[in-house]
Coordinates of all heavy atoms in Angstrom, one line a residue:
N1391 N -139.9 -33.3 -182.3 CA -140.3 -33.8 -183.6 C -141.2 -35.0 -183.4 O -140.8 -36.0 -182.7 CB -139.0 -34.2 -184.3 CG -139.2 -34.9 -185.6 OD1 -139.9 -35.9 -185.7 ND2 -138.7 -34.4 -186.7
P1392 N -142.4 -35.0 -183.9 CA -143.3 -36.1 -183.5 C -142.9 -37.5 -184.0 O -143.1 -38.5 -183.3 CB -144.7 -35.7 -184.2 CG -144.3 -34.6 -185.1 CD -143.1 -33.9 -184.7
F1393 N -142.3 -37.5 -185.2 CA -141.8 -38.9 -185.7 C -140.7 -39.4 -184.7 O -140.8 -40.6 -184.3 CB -141.3 -38.8 -187.1 CG -141.0 -40.1 -187.7 CD1 -142.0 -40.7 -188.5 CD2 -139.8 -40.8 -187.6 CE1 -141.8 -42.0 -189.1 CE2 -139.6 -42.0 -188.1 CZ -140.6 -42.6 -188.9
T1394 N -139.8 -38.6 -184.4 CA -138.7 -39.1 -183.5 C -139.3 -39.4 -182.1 O -138.9 -40.5 -181.5 CB -137.6 -38.0 -183.3 OG1 -137.1 -37.6 -184.6 CG2 -136.5 -38.4 -182.5
A1395 N -140.1 -38.6 -181.6 CA -140.7 -38.8 -180.2 C -141.5 -40.1 -180.2 O -141.4 -40.9 -179.3 CB -141.6 -37.6 -179.8
A1396 N -142.4 -40.3 -181.2 CA -143.2 -41.5 -181.3 C -142.3 -42.8 -181.4 O -142.5 -43.8 -180.8 CB -144.1 -41.4 -182.5
R1397 N -141.2 -42.6 -182.2 CA -140.3 -43.8 -182.4 C -139.6 -44.2 -181.1 O -139.5 -45.3 -180.8 CB -139.3 -43.4 -183.5 CG -138.5 -44.6 -184.0 CD -137.5 -44.1 -185.0 NE -136.8 -45.2 -185.7 CZ -135.6 -45.1 -186.2 NH1 -135.0 -44.0 -186.2 NH2 -135.1 -46.1 -186.8
Q1398 N -139.1 -43.1 -180.4 CA -138.4 -43.4 -179.1 C -139.4 -44.1 -178.1 O -139.0 -45.1 -177.5 CB -137.9 -42.1 -178.6 CG -136.7 -41.6 -179.4 CD -136.2 -40.3 -178.9 OE1 -137.0 -39.5 -178.3 NE2 -134.9 -40.0 -179.1
L1399 N -140.6 -43.5 -178.0 CA -141.5 -44.0 -177.0 C -142.0 -45.4 -177.3 O -142.1 -46.3 -176.5 CB -142.7 -43.1 -176.9 CG -142.5 -41.7 -176.3 CD1 -143.7 -40.8 -176.4 CD2 -142.1 -41.8 -174.8
L1400 N -142.3 -45.6 -178.6 CA -142.8 -47.0 -179.0 C -141.7 -48.0 -178.9 O -141.9 -49.2 -178.6 CB -143.4 -46.9 -180.4 CG -144.5 -47.9 -180.8 CD1 -145.6 -47.9 -179.7 CD2 -145.1 -47.6 -182.1
S1401 N -140.5 -47.6 -179.2 CA -139.3 -48.5 -179.1 C -139.2 -48.9 -177.6 O -139.0 -50.1 -177.3 CB -138.0 -47.8 -179.5 OG -138.0 -47.5 -180.9
L1402 N -139.3 -48.0 -176.7 CA -139.2 -48.3 -175.3 C -140.4 -49.1 -174.8 O -140.3 -50.0 -174.0 CB -139.1 -47.0 -174.4 CG -138.8 -47.2 -172.9 CD1 -137.6 -48.0 -172.6 CD2 -138.7 -45.8 -172.2
D1403 N -141.6 -48.9 -175.4 CA -142.7 -49.7 -175.1 C -142.5 -51.1 -175.5 O -143.0 -52.0 -174.8 CB -144.0 -49.1 -175.7 CG -145.2 -49.2 -174.9 OD1 -145.1 -49.4 -173.6 OD2 -146.3 -49.1 -175.4
M1448 N -149.3 -38.2 -183.1 CA -148.6 -39.2 -182.3 C -149.5 -40.5 -182.3 O -149.0 -41.6 -182.4 CB -148.4 -38.7 -180.8 CG -147.3 -37.7 -180.7 SD -145.6 -38.3 -181.0 CE -145.2 -38.9 -179.3
L1451 N -149.2 -42.3 -185.6 CA -147.9 -42.9 -185.7 C -147.8 -44.2 -184.8 O -147.4 -45.2 -185.3 CB -146.8 -42.0 -185.4 CG -146.5 -40.9 -186.4 CD1 -145.7 -39.8 -185.9 CD2 -145.9 -41.5 -187.7
F1452 N -148.3 -44.1 -183.6 CA -148.3 -45.2 -182.7 C -149.0 -46.4 -183.2 O -148.6 -47.6 -183.0 CB -148.9 -44.8 -181.3 CG -148.1 -44.0 -180.4 CD1 -148.7 -43.0 -179.6 CD2 -146.7 -44.1 -180.3 CE1 -148.0 -42.2 -178.7 CE2 -146.0 -43.3 -179.5 CZ -146.6 -42.3 -178.7
L1491 N -144.7 -45.2 -189.1 CA -143.6 -45.3 -188.2 C -142.8 -46.6 -188.5 O -143.3 -47.5 -189.0 CB -144.1 -45.4 -186.8 CG -143.2 -44.9 -185.6 CD1 -142.7 -43.5 -185.8 CD2 -143.8 -45.1 -184.3
T1492 N -141.5 -46.6 -188.2 CA -140.7 -47.8 -188.4 C -141.0 -48.9 -187.4 O -140.6 -50.0 -187.6 CB -139.2 -47.4 -188.2 OG1 -139.0 -46.8 -186.9 CG2 -138.7 -46.4 -189.3
T1493 N -141.7 -48.6 -186.4 CA -142.0 -49.5 -185.3 C -143.5 -49.9 -185.2 O -144.3 -49.0 -185.3 CB -141.6 -48.8 -183.9 OG1 -140.4 -48.2 -184.1 CG2 -141.6 -49.8 -182.8

Side-chain angles (χ1 to χ4, degrees):
N1391 172 304
F1393 190 93
T1394 304
R1397 190 183 190 206
Q1398 288 174 333
L1399 290 172
L1400 208 50
S1401 296
L1402 186 54
D1403 216 18
M1448 290 287 277
L1451 288 166
F1452 285 146
L1491 203 61
T1492 54
T1493 315

